Amino acid sequence: MKVLPTDLPGVLILEPKVFPDARGFFLETYNKEKYAAAGLTLDFVQDNLSFSSRGVLRGLHYQNPHAQGKLVYVLQGEVWDVAVDIRHGSEH
């Protein structure tokens, strides 16, 4: 898994290794040990999947005091995912 930092503290881009073959492809969407090696030692308790048609804008999710991590999977095409740091004292 490739871990890419972003300008926003706490926001990472995780690129899993994809294993393609004639049937399609396989990839690990989550591996506790690999996430821990990347410094992500969170206890994931829920996993959701949604599908959006082209041009759909989904809402901003502000969670306080019960913040949640967010994993975004792009299965086909591309996505523009926006993270906004509204923490007190943030420079971003």
Side-chain angles (χ1 to χ4, degrees):
M1 176 173 65
K2 188 187 294 185
V3 180
L4 305 170
T6 67
D7 292 337
L8 197 57
V11 176
L12 301 171
I13 298 172
L14 307 173
E15 293 183 353
K17 185 167 182 172
V18 179
F19 300 93
D21 64 21
R23 301 166 294 176
F25 67 89
F26 171 83
L27 65 94
E28 280 184 341
T29 57
Y30 176 76
N31 180 303
K32 186 174 184 175
E33 290 179 8
K34 289 178 183 175
Y35 273 52
L40 301 168
T41 57
L42 306 171
D43 182 21
F44 286 96
V45 295
Q46 184 175 334
D47 182 29
N48 303 319
L49 174 67
S50 68
F51 173 82
S52 298
S53 298
R54 182 178 174 86
V56 168
L57 175 66
R58 292 198 176 259
L60 177 67
H61 300 276
Y62 171 66
Q63 296 139 348
N64 186 18
H66 305 291
Q68 295 179 346
K70 179 179 173 186
L71 294 173
V72 177
Y73 299 101
V74 182
L75 300 177
Q76 182 177 354
E78 60 185 27
V79 65
W80 185 37
D81 191 47
V82 178
V84 179
D85 190 349
I86 60 173
R87 295 175 284 197
H88 182 71
S90 172
E91 296 180 12
H92 298 278

